């Protein structure tokens, strides 16, 4: 018998964090480290921040970082970790449904790392709105599963798996205003919840907003 899961995004993700993912990975996304380590610190916004691993990594490196997520449970854990690490002044977390709007800009870095969902998520519209909030000279980094990890189970059921072309279309990076620094599918080794390793494919787009526009 199939267990019924809530379809309302807020209810779905609350249940997910209360019952299925109850602890943080304790480390940032490898793709964030790979592509953001050399960017000069400023104001950062992370979409779908979960337990805050990426926001905390940015805050440790001097960024004033804000993580947004629809799940209060996930963000309360993120806030506690920020306090434990003494990063409360540089790492902020805000519960918000990004489908209803984003915080005002301008950010020096906006990240959307595996911001994917098996329930309703107007992801392309959110990414486009995010790009509009990047300050001149700032960057947007979008990383997505290009295919479901082997351990994804029902999380893969209705999730979207973007291609490079669909990500660029969503971001609508007008070449007179943006420089696309990276747009590619990248392989990496990933580790599943039970420690099993697999080669995973990520769609990665990194773009810089030109200063003169
Ligand atoms: C697949 S998880 C990825 C989390 C994290 N960025 C990572 O790399 O592990 C997607 C996250 O997006 C959040 N999310 C889904 N829909 C959302 C929405 N409409 N507004 C804000 N956050 C949302 C979920 O609660 C979840 O934490």
């Amino acid at each position: 018998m199939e267990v019924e899961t809530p379809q309302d995004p807020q209810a779905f993700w609350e249940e997910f964090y209360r019952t299925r993912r109850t602890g943080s990975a304790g480390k940032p996304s490898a793709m964030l480290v790979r592509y953001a380590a050399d960017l000069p610190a400023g104001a950062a916004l992370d979409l779908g921040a979960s337990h805050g691993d990426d926001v905390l990594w940015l805050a440790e490196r001097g960024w004033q970082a804000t993580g947004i997520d629809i799940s209060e449970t996930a963000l309360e854990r993120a806030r506690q970790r920020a306090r434990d690490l003494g990063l409360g002044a540089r790492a902020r977390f805000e519960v918000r449904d990004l489908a209803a709007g984003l915080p005002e800009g301008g950010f020096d870095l906006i990240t959307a790392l595996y911001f994917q969902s098996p329930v309703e998520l107007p992801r392309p519209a959110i990414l486009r709105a995010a790009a509009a909030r990047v300050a001149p000279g700032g960057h947007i980094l979008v990383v997505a599963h290009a295919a479901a990890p082997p351990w994804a189970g029902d999380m893969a059921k209705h999730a979207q798996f973007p291609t490079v072309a669909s990500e660029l279309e969503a971001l609508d990076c007008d070449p007179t205003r943006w420089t696309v620094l990276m747009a590619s599918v990248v392989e990496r080794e990933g580790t599943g919840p039970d420690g099993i390793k697999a080669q995973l494919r990520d769609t990665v787009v990194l773009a810089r907003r030109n200063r003169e526009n």
Side-chain angles (χ1 to χ4, degrees), residues 13 17 29 48 50 69-70 96-98 113-116 121:
W13 286 103
Y17 284 114
S29 299
S50 184
D69 204 283
I70 202 167
R96 179 191 277 260
D97 180 354
L98 288 162
L113 301 157
Y114 312 104
F115 181 53
Q116 289 160 280
L121 177 65

Side-chain angles (χ1 to χ4, degrees), residues 124-143:
I126 293 171
L127 293 183
R128 193 166 298 193
R133 281 159 173 77
V134 175
H139 294 77
I140 188 161
L141 173 64
V142 181
V143 179

Side-chain angles (χ1 to χ4, degrees), residues 31 88 122:
M31 291 294 149

Side-chain angles (χ1 to χ4, degrees), residues 5-91:
T5 51
Q7 291 309 298
D8 168 69
Q10 201 260 342
F12 174 87
W13 286 103
E14 268 305 293
E15 183 181 280
F16 177 79
Y17 284 114
R18 283 201 197 123
T19 64
R20 293 168 70 174
R21 187 171 303 162
T22 54
S24 130
K27 59 179 184 290
S29 299
M31 291 294 149
L32 176 69
V33 175
R34 192 182 295 183
Y35 294 107
D38 294 334
L39 300 179
L45 181 71
D46 184 37
L47 312 178
S50 184
H51 291 122
D53 294 317
D54 298 313
V55 166
L56 294 172
W57 181 81
L58 288 165
E60 267 167 4
R61 303 176 75 83
W63 291 81
Q64 196 66 43
T66 301
I68 306 279
D69 204 283
I70 202 167
S71 168
E72 172 67 41
T73 298
L75 290 194
E76 198 35 54
R77 293 175 190 148
R79 288 187 195 107
Q80 185 58 53
R81 295 184 58 226
R83 285 192 288 272
D84 292 348
L85 293 166
L87 290 169
R90 282 209 301 274

Side-chain angles (χ1 to χ4, degrees), residues 31 114 143-147 184-188 200-204:
M31 291 294 149
Y114 312 104
V143 179
H145 297 292
S184 186
V185 173
V186 173
E187 288 218 358
R188 70 178 165 96
L200 305 179
R201 294 169 69 240
D202 291 338
T203 302
V204 181

